[in-house]
Amino acid sequence: MFHHATLHGPHRFAAAAASARSAQTFKAFYATVRGLQPQPEPEDHEPPAENDFILSILRANPSVRDAKSYLNSFGSFPQPRPLSPSLPTPPPSVQQPALSDQLTTQAKPTDVPEVKPSPLIASILNPVYRRTALVKIQGPFTERQLESIARGMVYLEKLGLTSVIVIEHDGIPKGDDGEREAIAEETMRVVTALENQGARTRPIIGAIVRLGPKPGDDESSGLPVPEAHTVPSDLIPIRSALRAGEIPVLAPMALDSACRSVRVQSNDVVAALARGMVEASELDGHKRHSEVQDVSSDDVDLAPLRLMIINREGGVPSYARSGYPHLLINMASEYHYIQETFHPSWKSTHPTSLSNLSLARTCLEYMPPTSSAIMVNHRVPSSLIANLITNKPAFSSSLPHALLQGNRSLTPHTPSLLRRGLDMGVIRNVADIDKVKMTALLEQSFKRTLDADKFFTRLEKHLDFVIVAGDYAGAAIVTRELSPDSSIPITYLDKFAVLPSHQGDGTVDFLWVALHDETYGLGLPFSVNPNGGKEGQGEGQDLVWRSRANNPVNKWYFERSSGHIRMGDWVLFWCDAEKRLKTEGGRRGSAGLSYVETWERGRVSKWADVVTKIPSSWKK
């Protein structure tokens, strides 16, 4: 019953969780996770060894869907273009294990048997179309730290993503004597680190951007207006460097109204470049289309595919994770709330988090919808590869908190992935549902014809609430199903749907997190999210749903559910109300919870009896 094309692939620790659930299912005929703790993964704090480039790709564990999405950006053009001479493809001697859905080993290259590279990996290693990333390198950094960062930039260029770097140095006060010389020296340190890794670079010490809003800007447009701007001719040095296969490294300088080059905040330069490069890319497209002017085929697409903020702080601390970073941020609905809930103590440990959050919001408003931003610590260059190929956070934000808490791989330096996202809204009356848009969403997602009259008539009687993402880009429809032997209705997930065009852009996770907050997560601090619903107030309810046994999305459901039971052609899933389990677990202390608690006895058979009688919503 629940189906939409494909969802996010699992992480290794989630695969272990699925295995644990399977064992519990065998023992008790259905599974209930009790404080499941994943096995810790090794932390990636040290710079990778030589020839670790391919293993870094494999550690990203891309699904086939992830790799195809990557190739749509970098490998869909028929004539391959050779890489920069300074960045050759890996030599044949580097052994490449074939891509698998569940890579669980971290073997050294010498331990990996020599096999023929899979076509997927071979395609990733040979990009034929180059894209750009805007990168803010926010120092000060030691030489060793810059070496690690530079290696990450070189890895990205091998994969087709060329960085346009803007440097910052928090230790150089603005207005000090020798400021310009210090900034120029820092720029050259970054250049040297890149060249030591084999990259070709072009330092740009002079100003590229101009201070002040762009002439003709309309503040009523609703878009954030950068403090600086560019015109197409300003980007000539960047375009020239990219055409020559060089990484441009910019000092944070801008022209003021008197045409003097002055130091400004690097955020102003990055925001101006994000807007200017997107506008230049659109202009290039118009020129190609109209053939008014030839645009060189050697041009790199200037529209930034990624914004990368590399700092010493890592991601944005989260109120929901006791100060550990947000994993995935929906800027459309969470931006203001994150600012409001930013703990005063974090201002000393993460002094630039909010300004970087604001920078990401401004840039993402101008960048393509598929773009994302990542705030990452300098220690983990391989996380940049994972983000490029999968465009996902280190761990899915919709996974159960039991799988994330206590995981040593989730550290204060875990990256935060930021997406433009969508507004989330909760509807509690059928009359407020846009039936035309909802029907279109369900039919496109499920690829079936909805019996609309029958479906909405049933909702008139049973609807609990609907969570809508954006303009019906996704929806979770929850109903109250009455049981003959209980006065407490069953909280039933009737439909969970996301438009195919929004699968892979974070909407699925954003929607599930909102669903968690409105049902089985109610009453806990990390459920106080601004989605237009109860915002954490109330008592959590067990959430129940069913899916066809052959539904490929079940793999995703297994990771997010507390338990499941197979019922012939169907699988019944549920998520336990978390507050109740936490309260009971705290009361018992080290004794823990049993597989089946008193209040759970008979509930699965009751759920199965009610759910199997729910009529189909589809036309035959």
Side-chain angles (χ1 to χ4, degrees):
M1 182 171 181
F2 303 98
H3 175 80
H4 50 78
T6 46
L7 298 176
H8 296 297
H11 301 285
R12 286 192 294 274
F13 77 89
S19 176
R21 289 191 181 94
S22 178
Q24 290 178 350
T25 302
F26 177 78
K27 292 169 65 176
F29 296 102
Y30 64 90
T32 301
V33 179
R34 303 300 194 200
L36 185 61
Q37 296 294 334
Q39 294 297 319
E41 294 182 352
E43 298 185 29
D44 189 9
H45 286 323
E46 294 298 323
E50 287 187 23
N51 294 332
D52 200 38
F53 172 52
I54 296 174
L55 288 182
S56 294
I57 296 175
L58 293 172
R59 288 191 193 106
N61 198 19
S63 66
V64 173
R65 183 182 179 280
D66 295 333
K68 287 182 178 179
S69 177
Y70 163 83
L71 293 176
N72 285 337
S73 295
F74 295 91
S76 59
F77 291 81
Q79 296 299 324
R81 178 185 293 120
L83 293 173
S84 167
S86 63
L87 297 170
T89 54
S93 61
V94 179
Q95 298 168 340
Q96 304 173 11
L99 183 69
S100 66
D101 286 337
Q102 299 295 334
L103 180 67
T104 57
T105 62
Q106 298 275 345
K108 298 180 180 178
T110 54
D111 298 331
V112 180
E114 185 171 0
V115 295
K116 183 178 180 181
S118 73
L120 213 52
I121 290 294
S123 298
I124 290 175
L125 291 173
N126 291 280
V128 299
Y129 188 57
R130 295 189 296 158
R131 306 293 295 273
T132 57
L134 264 176
V135 181
K136 174 187 172 183
I137 297 181
Q138 181 179 336
F141 293 119
T142 66
E143 299 300 328
R144 180 70 176 274
Q145 291 166 348
L146 279 180
E147 176 188 346
S148 176
I149 294 169
R151 183 178 291 112
M153 299 296 97
V154 170
Y155 283 0
L156 294 179
E157 184 155 5
K158 288 181 179 181
L159 292 170
L161 190 71
T162 303
S163 300
V164 176
I165 298 174
V166 179
I167 68 104
E168 182 62 281
H169 193 297
D170 294 337
I172 303 176
K174 193 173 180 182
D176 273 16
D177 292 337
E179 174 189 19
R180 294 177 66 92
E181 291 79 5
I183 287 295
E185 181 180 348
E186 184 68 13
T187 303
M188 294 311 299
R189 285 184 68 228
V190 174
V191 166
T192 301
L194 288 165
E195 292 180 344
N196 286 342
Q197 296 297 320
R200 296 170 59 191
T201 64
R202 182 177 301 187
I204 301 176
I205 306 298
I208 293 289
V209 306
R210 307 165 187 237
L211 281 178
K214 191 171 185 178
D217 271 346
D218 182 5
E219 295 185 1
S220 64
S221 65
L223 293 175
V225 178
E227 296 295 327
H229 68 278
T230 67
V231 297
S233 61
D234 295 333
L235 300 177
I236 289 176
I238 293 177
R239 194 188 291 274
S240 173
L242 296 175
R243 285 177 178 172
E246 300 169 343
I247 297 176
V249 183
L250 285 70
M253 308 298 288
L255 290 176
D256 65 11
S257 58
C259 292
R260 295 172 301 187
S261 180
V262 297
R263 181 192 175 190
V264 297
Q265 295 292 330
S266 60
N267 286 7
D268 296 335
V269 178
V270 173
L273 288 177
R275 179 181 181 181
M277 290 169 67
V278 168
E279 291 173 347
S281 176
E282 292 173 349
L283 185 60
D284 290 347
H286 292 320
K287 289 175 179 177
R288 288 192 183 95
H289 181 72
S290 62
E291 298 183 351
V292 171
Q293 176 181 336
D294 177 56
V295 178
S296 171
S297 60
D298 292 330
D299 265 351
V300 178
D301 188 345
L302 284 179
L305 190 69
R306 297 285 189 275
L307 169 67
M308 298 179 178
I309 301 171
I310 304 174
N311 57 27
R312 294 164 295 157
E313 302 170 16
V316 183
S318 169
Y319 56 88
R321 305 192 191 283
S322 302
Y324 274 30
H326 285 272
L327 298 174
L328 178 64
I329 296 177
N330 181 348
M331 299 294 276
S333 67
E334 297 180 67
Y335 174 74
H336 294 291
Y337 193 73
I338 290 174
Q339 290 184 315
E340 294 169 2
T341 56
F342 197 83
H343 196 275
S345 64
W346 298 338
K347 293 180 181 179
S348 59
T349 59
H350 296 74
T352 64
S353 279
L354 293 183
S355 61
N356 283 329
L357 183 72
S358 177
L359 170 64
R361 176 175 179 252
T362 299
C363 292
L364 289 173
E365 286 292 342
Y366 291 98
M367 292 162 64
T370 54
S371 298
S372 63
I374 185 171
M375 293 173 60
V376 61
N377 184 273
H378 61 84
R379 292 185 177 92
V380 282
S382 61
S383 66
L384 300 177
I385 290 180
N387 170 254
L388 173 61
I389 296 176
T390 67
N391 205 11
K392 297 176 185 174
F395 307 107
S396 173
S397 58
S398 62
L399 285 167
H401 283 263
L403 288 177
L404 296 175
Q405 294 171 342
N407 183 1
R408 287 181 54 197
S409 292
L410 185 61
T411 73
H413 303 297
T414 299
S416 291
L417 184 68
L418 306 95
R419 305 297 296 259
R420 185 190 301 179
L422 298 167
D423 290 319
M424 310 298 289
V426 177
I427 298 173
R428 301 196 179 276
N429 298 309
V430 176
D432 296 329
I433 300 174
D434 188 319
K435 296 181 177 59
V436 174
K437 291 181 179 180
M438 180 63 78
T439 299
L441 164 62
L442 296 178
E443 291 186 343
Q444 289 183 53
S445 177
F446 287 81
K447 296 180 174 61
R448 301 183 67 181
T449 302
L450 185 72
D451 190 339
D453 291 340
K454 181 179 178 181
F455 176 69
F456 289 111
T457 298
R458 193 182 105 77
L459 289 188
E460 292 281 358
K461 181 179 179 181
H462 293 276
L463 180 67
D464 189 353
F465 62 86
V466 179
I467 302 174
V468 177
D471 190 19
Y472 288 80
I477 301 175
V478 177
T479 59
R480 295 184 300 269
E481 305 297 334
L482 297 178
S483 174
D485 58 351
S486 174
S487 60
I488 301 175
I490 298 170
T491 302
Y492 178 68
L493 177 59
D494 190 284
K495 294 287 186 295
F496 186 83
V498 174
L499 287 176
S501 59
H502 282 270
Q503 292 173 14
D505 68 357
T507 301
V508 170
D509 277 332
F510 295 144
L511 190 60
W512 192 271
V513 169
L515 175 66
H516 161 275
D517 295 347
E518 292 299 306
T519 55
Y520 62 98
L522 269 179
L524 295 175
F526 46 74
S527 298
V528 186
N529 289 311
N531 55 31
K534 295 181 179 179
E535 298 188 359
Q537 302 300 313
E539 292 295 323
Q541 301 294 323
D542 298 331
L543 179 68
V544 182
W545 71 99
R546 66 174 175 172
S547 175
R548 289 281 183 184
N550 60 354
N551 189 348
V553 88
N554 286 347
K555 193 175 186 180
W556 196 82
Y557 285 150
F558 286 137
E559 295 170 5
R560 282 149 186 81
S561 63
S562 299
H564 69 276
I565 182 172
R566 297 187 180 275
M567 307 184 304
D569 294 336
W570 295 89
V571 180
L572 180 73
F573 294 93
W574 68 89
C575 289
D576 292 315
E578 294 177 336
K579 182 180 178 181
R580 182 177 63 225
L581 290 182
K582 185 175 182 179
T583 301
E584 186 65 20
R587 186 178 67 83
R588 298 188 186 183
S590 60
L593 297 172
S594 63
Y595 282 112
V596 181
E597 292 295 325
T598 302
W599 72 77
E600 295 175 324
R601 296 187 185 281
R603 65 172 183 166
V604 173
S605 58
K606 178 180 67 177
W607 290 341
D609 181 59
V610 172
V611 166
T612 53
K613 295 176 181 177
I614 296 175
S616 171
S617 307
W618 310 105
K619 292 183 178 179
K620 301 298 183 181

